[in-house]
Amino acid sequence: MARPRKPLLSRARIVEAAGALVDAEGLEALSTRRLAAALGVSGPSLYNHFRTKDEILEAVADAVSARVDLSMFEDCRDWRRALQAWAHSYRDALSDHPNIVPVLARGPGRRPAGLRLADSVFGAMTEAGWPPAHATRIGALMRYFILGSAVASFAGGFVDDETAYDPTDYPHLGQAHLLAERRREVDEGAFETGLAALLDGLALQFDALPADPA
């Protein structure tokens, strides 16, 4: 009986395997040697598809960006509702792959999905009536906020030990040891509070725009 053929190596297979490795062990764990072993190929064969490890990481990051829903910028929603829906979709994508966030934080560079994301936000804001300079700042502001919310857990930064926070030193942290077990509730609540505050503030600025922003 003929031995089953190994699946052909492709960019998609490499990105999928690299993403799984980063998800499981972090950015530092990714090397061409480990990636080749996971794929059952020789290291040099990877270079038929990517020139460097950094190119692989860029592709992994772009694959995450590609999962962000952009349809809300095309279905005639008002700009505030569109930003709100987009922010949730973006955060959901990052929450599934937090280890790749530092790469995404560098900016879109030449990554196609990342550029489509930036283009969609800017285009939707200018079409809604925001001046181009404001639209650029909104895109930057939202990216800072969403990426920051995905970098680490606020609640998870406290230890589950009621003796860790001496009230003599930290008189207002008497319940901080309870935050870790309420991580999801606290972190999601913080995201919703921050997002609402951002959108409320932007709405005030939008209402204050001159009738002819030119």
Side-chain angles (χ1 to χ4, degrees):
M1 181 180 296
R3 296 177 62 185
R5 295 178 57 190
K6 290 183 179 179
L8 292 175
L9 191 62
S10 65
R11 286 179 65 92
R13 281 193 67 215
I14 294 171
V15 170
E16 182 179 4
L21 186 56
V22 170
D23 285 345
E25 301 183 41
L27 291 172
E28 299 78 9
L30 183 65
S31 68
T32 53
R33 178 179 297 179
R34 288 201 62 187
L35 183 56
L39 289 163
V41 299
S42 63
S45 63
L46 298 176
Y47 297 114
N48 293 325
H49 301 275
F50 294 95
R51 291 177 297 179
T52 65
K53 185 184 82 169
D54 282 344
E55 279 195 2
I56 297 173
L57 282 173
E58 289 287 308
V60 172
D62 210 40
V64 173
S65 294
R67 296 172 185 172
V68 180
D69 183 15
L70 299 175
S71 64
M72 66 285 297
F73 297 121
E74 302 170 356
D75 62 8
C76 299
R77 296 186 212 187
D78 66 83
W79 66 265
R80 175 174 177 146
R81 290 179 58 231
L83 277 184
Q84 183 179 38
W86 170 69
H88 280 103
S89 178
Y90 200 173
R91 183 172 183 264
D92 287 346
L94 299 184
S95 295
D96 290 338
H97 308 280
N99 291 338
I100 200 64
V101 170
V103 179
L104 287 163
R106 300 172 190 165
R110 297 176 182 272
R111 299 192 298 267
L115 290 170
R116 282 193 294 272
L117 189 154
D119 182 73
S120 294
V121 175
F122 181 83
M125 294 305 101
T126 54
E127 288 173 11
W130 285 98
H134 286 70
T136 298
R137 294 171 198 154
I138 290 169
L141 168 67
M142 296 299 291
R143 194 169 70 86
Y144 295 154
F145 173 66
I146 297 165
L147 290 173
S149 74
V151 168
S153 163
F154 173 81
F158 295 86
V159 298
D160 184 13
D161 178 1
E162 62 182 342
T163 68
Y165 308 108
D166 190 326
T168 303
D169 298 320
Y170 315 107
H172 305 295
L173 294 182
Q175 301 296 307
H177 65 284
L178 301 175
L179 291 174
E181 67 182 37
R182 300 174 183 172
R183 176 172 176 166
R184 181 170 181 175
E185 174 188 351
V186 172
D187 291 345
E188 290 188 357
F191 181 78
E192 294 297 341
T193 299
L195 181 59
L198 285 177
L199 295 176
D200 285 346
L202 289 174
L204 291 174
Q205 292 186 39
F206 188 75
D207 291 342
L209 289 174
D212 182 3

